Amino acid sequence: MTAAPTRVLFISLGNICRSPAAEGVFLHLLAREGLEDRFVVDSAGTGGWHVGRPADRRMRAAAERRGIHLPSRARQLDRGDLLGFDRILTMDDDNLRAVRSLARELAPGSADLALIEPMTSHCRRFQTREVPDPYYGGEEGFEHVLDLLEDACAGLLETLQQDRPQR
């Protein structure tokens, strides 16, 4: 019997910079390792301002320079995501609070809810509490975010592989 895929959702505020980058980086790692069939990966924002738009052009350009494609279109987090995903990873403390608050409203104490955690809890090389929002900064901000996300996504994949039953 084949184990169900692990469902992973990345969350930022508007879903146009950090969370689609995390999604793209994680998908890139999965493809490199031949693990695409073991995961369902998506991203969303706690806000709905950019719904339907592709990732920010500056983030797409920075990712493309690393050979990483950002395929998603912005969407807003909905209540069903809390039950439909196994892991929800937030980019900063504000979004962590927002997602946890929504989870408390939906089903306080429910074991069926996704594990909600900070993305940076999976960093191995960097010591930081949040993935900073590069939206109002220069090109170096987008590169720094990708450095953090490559580190955190590698750590996340390692964690998920350890937690997952082997085939």
Side-chain angles (χ1 to χ4, degrees), residues 137-152:
E139 187 174 311
E140 67 283 347
F142 293 90
E143 295 296 335
H144 178 63
V145 165
L146 287 169
D147 290 342
L148 290 173
L149 292 175
E150 285 179 338
D151 182 24

Side-chain angles (χ1 to χ4, degrees), residues 9 11 45-46 76-83 88 94-109 113 116:
L9 180 64
I11 299 289
T46 54
Q76 188 170 10
L77 175 72
D78 66 49
R79 293 174 184 266
D81 291 329
L82 296 165
L83 295 167
I88 296 178
D94 288 340
N95 286 293
L96 180 64
R97 278 190 295 277
V99 176
R100 285 183 173 163
S101 176
L102 184 61
R104 283 190 300 275
E105 290 173 21
L106 181 64
L113 290 176
I116 302 163

